[in-house]
Amino acid sequence: MAVRFLGFLLFAVFFCGLDASRLTVNQELSTLFNELWMLDVNRLTPGVDYNISVQGRASYVNQGVHVVQDHASLPLFSSVNEDKLRNITTVSSFLNLLDNYEHSTGVAERVSTEELTEINQFLDAVLQTEVMKRAHRYLVSKRQSSSVLRLFKNQLNLIWFHLYHRQRTSGLDSSGFEHVFVGETKSGMEIVGFHNWIQFYLQEKNNLLDYKGYKAGRHDLPDLDDHVLNLQFSWHGLVKPVGSAFIGTSPEFEMAVFTIVFLMSTERSTTVLVNIDQCQMELVVIRHGRSLGTAYPKLLSSNSRHIRQH
């Protein structure tokens, strides 16, 4: 009987896996990511460079449902200092990339010489930031990247910009960058990816996206200065029941954090629990071979509530 019980217990553990509550904070990565946070001089300041209006809590929605109750009559972003945004070298080169992609999976991407130049310029700009320099030094110390800058740039290009099949019946239709920073639609049925606040703001400004409200635990209300939000929105006539994104951060910060998580694990799916600034979050990274399939933050608590709970 004891042997049968032990077998059942092992079976249950194997199939249930480790849920979020069992994850322990990765102190080493928390320390590193807070250092990157402090180095992120291109991060925008809430209440100064931008303002958000989180409004109401979004309803529960099943995937595939495209008509939902709107709990936010106003846009998420009430203001953004676009002049400051466009004067940041990494952001201005990032903006050049946003119109290079077919948003629908299954439609093969065609990359022009001009677009390859834009990718090259973006990576060069990112590599000149203190954020990515520090990330590079860490990865070299862990023997996950070459100390040769050219080879590290090639590695970033492979992780983020290498085209692959997301939908097997099509040509090369996706990349890590497109999925995470630009967003995609799948089979005309769902929004996949789309985890970047700048793209969110621009699509919202152009009336292509409608913010429906925030998603959070019953006792965890988001504040105007939260740097990660879980949210619900519609885009291209589809609804994303729950999405998530850093808010106000630079492209290089997000790319550095997710690159580190990607390279520090060989698992297809990796989730690390970290504390960054006053937020506790899970960082989720899923591989697509040697490239990135998806990556996103999932806010667990903000304003140091996770510290006060202990």
Side-chain angles (χ1 to χ4, degrees):
M1 184 70 180
V3 172
R4 183 181 299 176
F5 176 75
L6 180 60
F8 171 79
L9 185 62
L10 291 172
F11 177 88
V13 170
F14 179 80
F15 280 96
C16 292
L18 293 175
D19 61 32
S21 64
R22 295 183 185 179
L23 284 176
T24 57
V25 174
N26 188 315
Q27 296 294 353
E28 180 176 327
L29 289 184
S30 292
T31 299
L32 174 65
F33 293 160
N34 276 290
E35 188 177 345
L36 298 182
W37 180 262
M38 297 302 294
L39 289 171
D40 190 15
V41 295
N42 290 332
R43 184 176 76 246
L44 268 60
T45 303
V48 177
D49 302 317
Y50 70 90
N51 288 282
I52 61 173
S53 176
V54 295
Q55 300 166 80
R57 188 192 307 271
S59 306
Y60 173 80
V61 178
N62 285 318
Q63 185 66 261
V65 173
H66 305 314
V67 179
V68 300
Q69 187 174 355
D70 194 341
H71 293 271
S73 59
L74 301 173
L76 173 62
F77 288 93
S78 49
S79 69
V80 174
N81 186 340
E82 284 195 37
D83 288 338
K84 181 167 184 175
L85 262 187
R86 296 180 188 282
N87 282 320
I88 298 170
T89 304
T90 54
V91 175
S92 63
S93 58
F94 171 83
L95 294 173
N96 291 335
L97 300 174
L98 296 180
D99 62 355
N100 291 352
Y101 299 96
E102 296 283 350
H103 69 79
S104 179
T105 62
V107 179
E109 298 290 345
R110 292 178 175 83
V111 185
S112 67
T113 303
E114 180 184 359
E115 289 170 352
L116 287 174
T117 299
E118 290 174 350
I119 291 171
N120 192 56
Q121 290 172 340
F122 172 69
L123 288 174
D124 282 343
V126 163
L127 286 165
Q128 290 173 17
T129 65
E130 293 304 316
V131 168
M132 193 57 81
K133 287 177 182 178
R134 178 65 184 96
H136 185 203
R137 290 197 301 273
Y138 176 80
L139 290 167
V140 170
S141 74
K142 296 295 183 178
R143 300 184 178 180
Q144 298 301 317
S145 297
S146 169
S147 60
V148 179
L149 194 61
R150 173 179 55 83
L151 296 181
F152 181 52
K153 179 180 176 181
N154 290 343
Q155 188 179 31
L156 290 177
N157 191 59
L158 174 62
I159 292 170
W160 289 96
F161 292 99
H162 174 71
L163 291 175
Y164 52 71
H165 301 271
R166 190 171 292 275
Q167 201 159 302
R168 294 186 182 278
T169 56
S170 70
L172 301 175
D173 64 339
S174 187
S175 68
F177 181 88
E178 177 185 6
H179 187 83
V180 174
F181 286 100
V182 184
E184 301 177 287
T185 60
K186 183 179 178 182
S187 305
M189 294 297 293
E190 60 181 307
I191 300 167
V192 290
F194 204 135
H195 299 289
N196 179 255
W197 75 272
I198 297 175
Q199 169 73 338
F200 192 104
Y201 162 68
L202 292 173
Q203 293 292 298
E204 186 177 60
K205 176 188 173 186
N206 291 320
N207 297 316
L208 298 172
L209 180 152
D210 186 17
Y211 170 63
K212 301 295 186 182
Y214 69 88
K215 300 290 287 186
R218 181 170 296 178
H219 302 295
D220 197 15
L221 304 177
D223 287 343
L224 304 184
D225 61 349
D226 278 1
H227 292 292
V228 179
L229 282 179
N230 303 329
L231 37 79
Q232 186 180 101
F233 62 93
S234 63
W235 185 55
H236 291 291
L238 306 174
V239 171
K240 182 136 190 174
V242 184
S244 57
F246 284 104
I247 306 293
T249 48
S250 69
E252 61 266 27
F253 175 83
E254 296 177 40
M255 184 173 279
V257 164
F258 291 131
T259 297
I260 289 167
V261 176
F262 177 90
L263 289 173
M264 292 304 294
S265 172
T266 57
E267 299 295 322
R268 181 181 176 275
S269 178
T270 302
T271 301
V272 296
L273 180 63
V274 293
N275 297 328
I276 303 178
D277 191 42
Q278 296 182 5
C279 295
Q280 183 167 93
M281 69 193 75
E282 292 175 356
L283 298 177
V284 181
V285 169
I286 298 177
R287 310 177 75 85
H288 194 290
R290 296 169 65 197
S291 301
L292 190 89
T294 190
Y296 55 89
K298 179 182 175 184
L299 181 66
L300 300 182
S301 70
S302 59
N303 296 299
S304 302
R305 291 185 186 92
H306 53 286
I307 296 174
R308 296 197 295 272
Q309 288 169 0
H310 294 288

